[in-house]
mmCIF file of all heavy atoms in Angstrom:
data_model
loop_
_atom_site.group_PDB
_atom_site.id
_atom_site.type_symbol
_atom_site.label_atom_id
_atom_site.label_comp_id
_atom_site.label_asym_id
_atom_site.label_seq_id
_atom_site.Cartn_x
_atom_site.Cartn_y
_atom_site.Cartn_z
ATOM 1 N N LYS A 320 -54.207 -16.118 -82.152
ATOM 2 C CA LYS A 320 -54.650 -17.206 -82.943
ATOM 3 C C LYS A 320 -54.342 -16.998 -84.454
ATOM 4 O O LYS A 320 -54.696 -15.933 -84.916
ATOM 5 C CB LYS A 320 -56.198 -17.419 -82.795
ATOM 6 C CG LYS A 320 -56.670 -18.706 -83.367
ATOM 7 C CD LYS A 320 -58.185 -18.879 -83.191
ATOM 8 C CE LYS A 320 -58.649 -18.940 -81.756
ATOM 9 N NZ LYS A 320 -60.121 -19.376 -81.693
ATOM 10 N N LEU A 324 -57.749 -20.623 -88.087
ATOM 11 C CA LEU A 324 -57.592 -21.824 -87.300
ATOM 12 C C LEU A 324 -58.929 -22.490 -86.991
ATOM 13 O O LEU A 324 -59.062 -23.701 -87.182
ATOM 14 C CB LEU A 324 -56.826 -21.557 -85.989
ATOM 15 C CG LEU A 324 -56.708 -22.769 -85.034
ATOM 16 C CD1 LEU A 324 -55.841 -23.813 -85.658
ATOM 17 C CD2 LEU A 324 -56.133 -22.349 -83.726
ATOM 18 N N ASP A 325 -59.945 -21.696 -86.561
ATOM 19 C CA ASP A 325 -61.226 -22.228 -86.290
ATOM 20 C C ASP A 325 -61.858 -22.840 -87.583
ATOM 21 O O ASP A 325 -62.361 -23.962 -87.512
ATOM 22 C CB ASP A 325 -62.185 -21.193 -85.785
ATOM 23 C CG ASP A 325 -61.757 -20.697 -84.363
ATOM 24 O OD1 ASP A 325 -61.203 -21.461 -83.619
ATOM 25 O OD2 ASP A 325 -62.106 -19.513 -84.087
ATOM 26 N N LEU A 328 -60.124 -26.240 -88.239
ATOM 27 C CA LEU A 328 -60.535 -27.310 -87.266
ATOM 28 C C LEU A 328 -61.987 -27.768 -87.581
ATOM 29 O O LEU A 328 -62.288 -28.943 -87.584
ATOM 30 C CB LEU A 328 -60.467 -26.808 -85.792
ATOM 31 C CG LEU A 328 -59.056 -26.579 -85.305
ATOM 32 C CD1 LEU A 328 -59.130 -25.952 -83.885
ATOM 33 C CD2 LEU A 328 -58.226 -27.852 -85.270
ATOM 34 N N GLU A 329 -62.934 -26.800 -87.782
ATOM 35 C CA GLU A 329 -64.300 -27.120 -88.061
ATOM 36 C C GLU A 329 -64.406 -27.876 -89.348
ATOM 37 O O GLU A 329 -65.366 -28.735 -89.421
ATOM 38 C CB GLU A 329 -65.158 -25.804 -88.024
ATOM 39 C CG GLU A 329 -65.302 -25.261 -86.649
ATOM 40 C CD GLU A 329 -65.866 -23.895 -86.546
ATOM 41 O OE1 GLU A 329 -66.342 -23.416 -87.645
ATOM 42 O OE2 GLU A 329 -65.859 -23.341 -85.521
ATOM 43 N N PRO A 350 -52.996 -24.929 -71.447
ATOM 44 C CA PRO A 350 -53.955 -23.742 -71.320
ATOM 45 C C PRO A 350 -54.179 -23.017 -72.649
ATOM 46 O O PRO A 350 -55.298 -22.554 -72.995
ATOM 47 C CB PRO A 350 -53.362 -22.826 -70.302
ATOM 48 C CG PRO A 350 -52.338 -23.760 -69.476
ATOM 49 C CD PRO A 350 -51.954 -24.771 -70.495
ATOM 50 N N VAL A 351 -53.054 -22.993 -73.375
ATOM 51 C CA VAL A 351 -53.185 -22.268 -74.719
ATOM 52 C C VAL A 351 -54.067 -23.047 -75.696
ATOM 53 O O VAL A 351 -54.968 -22.486 -76.389
ATOM 54 C CB VAL A 351 -51.748 -22.059 -75.396
ATOM 55 C CG1 VAL A 351 -51.863 -21.517 -76.742
ATOM 56 C CG2 VAL A 351 -50.866 -21.164 -74.465
ATOM 57 N N ILE A 352 -53.894 -24.368 -75.728
ATOM 58 C CA ILE A 352 -54.726 -25.250 -76.637
ATOM 59 C C ILE A 352 -56.148 -25.152 -76.214
ATOM 60 O O ILE A 352 -57.072 -24.973 -77.048
ATOM 61 C CB ILE A 352 -54.196 -26.652 -76.620
ATOM 62 C CG1 ILE A 352 -52.805 -26.797 -77.269
ATOM 63 C CG2 ILE A 352 -55.204 -27.571 -77.399
ATOM 64 C CD1 ILE A 352 -52.131 -28.068 -77.133
ATOM 65 N N ASP A 353 -56.388 -25.259 -74.899
ATOM 66 C CA ASP A 353 -57.724 -25.133 -74.407
ATOM 67 C C ASP A 353 -58.437 -23.804 -74.765
ATOM 68 O O ASP A 353 -59.616 -23.743 -75.174
ATOM 69 C CB ASP A 353 -57.841 -25.330 -72.911
ATOM 70 C CG ASP A 353 -57.445 -26.706 -72.466
ATOM 71 O OD1 ASP A 353 -57.441 -27.658 -73.406
ATOM 72 O OD2 ASP A 353 -57.103 -26.965 -71.293
ATOM 73 N N ALA A 354 -57.697 -22.679 -74.748
ATOM 74 C CA ALA A 354 -58.212 -21.406 -75.146
ATOM 75 C C ALA A 354 -58.466 -21.250 -76.605
ATOM 76 O O ALA A 354 -59.437 -20.709 -77.041
ATOM 77 C CB ALA A 354 -57.262 -20.300 -74.694
ATOM 78 N N LEU A 355 -57.621 -21.963 -77.395
ATOM 79 C CA LEU A 355 -57.734 -21.884 -78.897
ATOM 80 C C LEU A 355 -58.873 -22.838 -79.398
ATOM 81 O O LEU A 355 -59.429 -22.562 -80.462
ATOM 82 C CB LEU A 355 -56.413 -22.281 -79.584
ATOM 83 C CG LEU A 355 -55.289 -21.257 -79.337
ATOM 84 C CD1 LEU A 355 -54.000 -21.820 -79.982
ATOM 85 C CD2 LEU A 355 -55.617 -19.910 -79.832
ATOM 86 N N ASP A 356 -59.078 -23.929 -78.684
ATOM 87 C CA ASP A 356 -60.019 -24.942 -79.196
ATOM 88 C C ASP A 356 -61.240 -25.003 -78.253
ATOM 89 O O ASP A 356 -61.458 -25.986 -77.564
ATOM 90 C CB ASP A 356 -59.271 -26.270 -79.236
ATOM 91 C CG ASP A 356 -60.157 -27.412 -79.737
ATOM 92 O OD1 ASP A 356 -61.088 -27.218 -80.518
ATOM 93 O OD2 ASP A 356 -59.865 -28.590 -79.344
ATOM 94 N N LYS A 357 -62.037 -24.002 -78.218
ATOM 95 C CA LYS A 357 -63.177 -23.986 -77.341
ATOM 96 C C LYS A 357 -64.252 -24.997 -77.609
ATOM 97 O O LYS A 357 -64.950 -25.397 -76.788
ATOM 98 C CB LYS A 357 -63.855 -22.550 -77.479
ATOM 99 C CG LYS A 357 -62.989 -21.402 -76.990
ATOM 100 C CD LYS A 357 -62.978 -21.304 -75.567
ATOM 101 C CE LYS A 357 -62.325 -20.029 -75.138
ATOM 102 N NZ LYS A 357 -61.878 -20.046 -73.834
ATOM 103 N N LYS A 358 -64.286 -25.548 -78.880
ATOM 104 C CA LYS A 358 -65.260 -26.546 -79.188
ATOM 105 C C LYS A 358 -64.672 -27.980 -79.005
ATOM 106 O O LYS A 358 -65.344 -28.944 -79.396
ATOM 107 C CB LYS A 358 -65.722 -26.364 -80.701
ATOM 108 C CG LYS A 358 -66.398 -25.073 -80.864
ATOM 109 C CD LYS A 358 -66.898 -24.896 -82.251
ATOM 110 C CE LYS A 358 -67.562 -23.610 -82.483
ATOM 111 N NZ LYS A 358 -67.881 -23.366 -83.952
ATOM 112 N N ASN A 359 -63.493 -28.121 -78.512
ATOM 113 C CA ASN A 359 -62.859 -29.371 -78.254
ATOM 114 C C ASN A 359 -62.858 -30.259 -79.509
ATOM 115 O O ASN A 359 -63.202 -31.499 -79.511
ATOM 116 C CB ASN A 359 -63.548 -30.188 -77.150
ATOM 117 C CG ASN A 359 -63.458 -29.510 -75.800
ATOM 118 O OD1 ASN A 359 -62.265 -29.057 -75.453
ATOM 119 N ND2 ASN A 359 -64.493 -29.298 -75.088
ATOM 120 N N LEU A 360 -62.317 -29.700 -80.633
ATOM 121 C CA LEU A 360 -62.262 -30.417 -81.873
ATOM 122 C C LEU A 360 -60.918 -31.102 -82.060
ATOM 123 O O LEU A 360 -60.790 -32.056 -82.862
ATOM 124 C CB LEU A 360 -62.370 -29.370 -83.058
ATOM 125 C CG LEU A 360 -63.689 -28.630 -83.025
ATOM 126 C CD1 LEU A 360 -63.731 -27.625 -84.208
ATOM 127 C CD2 LEU A 360 -64.863 -29.543 -83.159
ATOM 128 N N ILE A 361 -59.968 -30.771 -81.181
ATOM 129 C CA ILE A 361 -58.711 -31.500 -81.178
ATOM 130 C C ILE A 361 -58.779 -32.745 -80.390
ATOM 131 O O ILE A 361 -59.164 -32.778 -79.186
ATOM 132 C CB ILE A 361 -57.550 -30.555 -80.560
ATOM 133 C CG1 ILE A 361 -57.455 -29.378 -81.535
ATOM 134 C CG2 ILE A 361 -56.260 -31.337 -80.475
ATOM 135 C CD1 ILE A 361 -56.503 -28.232 -80.978
#
Side-chain angles (χ1 to χ4, degrees):
K320 189 185 293 192
L324 177 64
D325 292 330
L328 292 173
E329 289 170 7
V351 174
I352 294 170
D353 291 343
L355 294 176
D356 182 28
K357 297 281 189 200
K358 296 180 180 177
N359 295 313
L360 302 175
I361 297 171

